[in-house]
């Protein structure tokens, strides 16, 4: 099963009694995600059937509207309260987005389970730079965040229940946002829902621990991978390798009664290679902290496209 740094016994968790509650919330977020996204569910089942009980999550990701208290902080506060630490900022000027990632506290239960019950994942939260949008788009976003009242205080609750904190939009409003920012349109209809979970491939035990093998296995089983900039996204140092599926679609009933298909969530895979200074460590001694940490802006920029029309409509 999954082994983490905390098993060395050097640190005690900072969330203690709250850990079961915290994991319960993550489990609810995951269950909303699995119910809405058959591809993610099928792939998790498939990987599980080959590589039993060593499935660990590298990170979970969320999207937000960076306006009036609805940005990164609205979701981050939950993770910060449960012991996470804010790490680096990533900027995406072309997409008018920014993101922060958060590292987990040492977790006492790590190694006792898989998935959400394994080592706590990193958290990646992005936000749309709303003030850089056109007046029309800004007006729509402010209309819905405004209709939410103090919903920004309950982002994590909304995510775990699978509810929007704002009213459902008109289809024309969704289309206006989509014409300017597919990220904005996605966030309007998916709200705080989990955008993706990421399987940590190097922590698998079979041949699937090689991300290229896993990608091949996923495609052989009939699932489509996001091909933007090539299927495999590799950081300049070569040590962070990522790939993702094309998002599922879900039928969404807009407030004007129109029911249309909208992009939902996807699943990602990440392989973190051992840092050069630890390359001589025996395989059995390698822990997560010996590996490449963090995220990579150029790769992330392409992974965002997993929910784009271009990827969804590809044949
Ligand atoms: C996030 C895309 C970036 C990563 O791991 O770099 C990302 C998103 O689609 O919201 O997941
Ligand atoms: Ni990701």
């Amino acid at each position: 099963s999954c082994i983490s740094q905390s098993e060395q016994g050097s640190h005690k968790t900072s969330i203690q009694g709250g850990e079961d509650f915290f994991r319960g919330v993550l489990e609810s977020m995951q269950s909303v995600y699995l119910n809405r996204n058959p591809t993610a569910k099928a792939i998790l089942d498939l990987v599980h059937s080959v590589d039993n009980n060593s499935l660990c999550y590298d990170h979970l990701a969320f999207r937000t509207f960076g306006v009036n208290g609805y940005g990164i902080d609205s979701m981050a506060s939950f993770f910060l309260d449960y012991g996470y630490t804010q790490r680096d900022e990533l900027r995406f000027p072309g997409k008018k987005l920014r993101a922060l990632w958060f590292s987990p506290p040492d977790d006492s239960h790590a190694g006792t389970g898989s998935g959400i019950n394994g080592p706590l994942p990193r958290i990646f939260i992005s936000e749309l730079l709303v003030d850089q949008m056109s007046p029309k788009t800004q007006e729509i976003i402010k209309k819905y965040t405004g209709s939410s009242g103090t919903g920004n205080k309950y982002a994590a609750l909304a995510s775990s229940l699978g509810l929007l904190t704002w009213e459902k939009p008109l289809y024309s409003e969704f289309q206006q946002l989509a014409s300017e920012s597919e990220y904005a349109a996605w966030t309007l209809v998916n709200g705080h829902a989990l955008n993706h979970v990421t399987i940590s491939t190097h922590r698998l035990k079979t041949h699937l621990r090689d991300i290229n093998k896993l990608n091949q296995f996923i495609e052989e089983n009939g699932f489509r991978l996001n091909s933007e900039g090539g299927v495999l996204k590799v950081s300049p140092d070569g040590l962070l390798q990522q790939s993702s599926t094309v998002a599922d679609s879900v039928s969404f009933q807009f407030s004007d009664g129109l029911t249309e298909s909208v992009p939902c969530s996807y699943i990602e895979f990440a392989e973190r290679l051992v840092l050069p200074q630890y390359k001589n460590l025996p395989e059995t001694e390698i822990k997560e902290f010996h590996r490449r940490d963090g995220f990579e802006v150029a790769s992330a920029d392409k992974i965002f496209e997993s929910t784009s029309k271009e990827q969804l409509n590809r044949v």
Side-chain angles (χ1 to χ4, degrees):
S1 68
C2 305
I3 308 297
S4 85
Q5 189 170 358
S6 64
E7 285 188 317
Q8 297 179 316
S10 54
H11 291 88
K12 273 281 155 275
T13 173
S14 57
I15 59 179
Q16 293 167 10
E19 183 171 338
D20 289 346
F21 169 71
F22 177 75
R23 285 184 188 271
V25 173
L26 297 189
E27 207 160 319
S28 291
M29 290 174 175
Q30 175 187 238
S31 113
V32 169
Y33 167 83
L34 295 177
N35 285 329
R36 283 188 195 163
N37 298 283
T39 297
K41 168 99 176 70
I43 288 177
L44 280 166
D45 288 348
L46 199 57
V47 172
H48 225 110
S49 72
V50 174
D51 211 308
N52 190 33
N53 214 34
S54 62
L55 203 145
C56 302
Y57 289 149
D58 181 90
H59 64 273
L60 309 182
F62 302 92
R63 296 179 174 182
T64 66
F65 286 130
V67 69
N68 298 335
Y70 281 80
I72 294 172
D73 291 351
S74 67
M75 183 57 78
S77 61
F78 174 68
F79 294 97
L80 292 170
D81 285 348
Y82 282 89
Y84 276 70
T85 305
Q86 184 177 315
R87 302 292 293 274
D88 310 308
E89 180 189 70
L90 293 88
R91 289 203 160 257
F92 306 89
K95 290 188 162 66
K96 299 175 178 161
L97 299 173
R98 81 175 190 111
L100 291 172
W101 76 272
F102 301 82
S103 53
D106 289 345
D107 45 351
S108 56
H109 292 187
T112 64
S114 77
I116 292 294
N117 296 310
L120 289 173
R122 296 170 187 78
I123 301 295
F124 182 99
I125 312 174
S126 55
E127 69 183 13
L128 182 71
L129 303 173
V130 176
D131 60 3
Q132 295 181 21
M133 295 287 115
S134 71
K136 228 168 148 182
T137 290
Q138 286 196 42
E139 194 187 308
I140 295 166
I141 294 169
K142 287 174 186 164
K143 171 178 167 188
Y144 287 95
T145 53
S147 84
S148 154
T150 53
N152 57 330
K153 288 162 64 180
Y154 308 103
L157 184 58
S159 184
S160 61
L161 292 170
L163 298 172
L164 293 173
T165 63
W166 48 77
E167 291 174 73
K168 289 188 168 196
L170 302 168
Y171 184 52
S172 60
E173 293 169 326
F174 172 81
Q175 284 178 304
Q176 162 63 32
L177 264 54
S179 71
E180 198 173 327
S181 162
E182 294 198 281
Y183 178 105
W186 190 93
T187 305
L188 187 66
V189 293
N190 288 282
H192 302 100
L194 199 48
N195 175 269
H196 62 274
V197 308
T198 300
I199 296 180
S200 179
T201 78
H202 56 269
R203 289 187 278 196
L204 294 170
K205 296 284 181 275
T206 66
H207 67 290
L208 299 181
R209 65 204 319 276
D210 171 347
I211 194 168
N212 291 300
K213 297 257 168 59
L214 181 59
N215 287 342
Q216 195 189 332
F217 176 72
I218 298 296
E219 287 186 322
E220 280 168 5
N221 278 279
F223 299 105
R224 286 191 299 148
L225 295 173
N226 167 0
S227 62
E228 183 72 26
V231 162
L232 191 66
K233 282 78 173 161
V234 182
S235 61
D237 62 12
L239 300 177
L240 175 59
Q241 309 200 351
Q242 295 163 280
S243 60
S244 58
T245 61
V246 172
D248 278 324
S249 301
V250 71
S251 124
F252 185 90
Q253 186 166 17
F254 289 89
S255 59
D256 43 7
L258 285 176
T259 300
E260 297 289 339
S261 161
V262 299
C264 208
S265 299
Y266 61 92
I267 186 161
E268 186 191 314
F269 316 104
E271 180 171 355
R272 296 182 184 275
L273 302 184
V274 175
L275 293 166
Q277 62 267 39
Y278 300 124
K279 70 176 192 305
N280 295 323
L281 273 183
E283 181 81 27
T284 51
E285 280 176 32
I286 295 168
K287 307 285 185 220
E288 187 68 6
F289 69 87
H290 295 125
R291 296 179 181 274
R292 164 68 148 87
D293 206 350
F295 290 85
E296 192 60 47
V297 74
S299 302
D301 195 70
K302 299 180 183 84
I303 297 169
F304 276 115
E305 298 293 322
S306 307
T307 58
S308 74
K309 273 195 211 94
E310 193 183 308
Q311 286 295 319
L312 267 80
N313 296 338
R314 228 178 73 227
V315 275

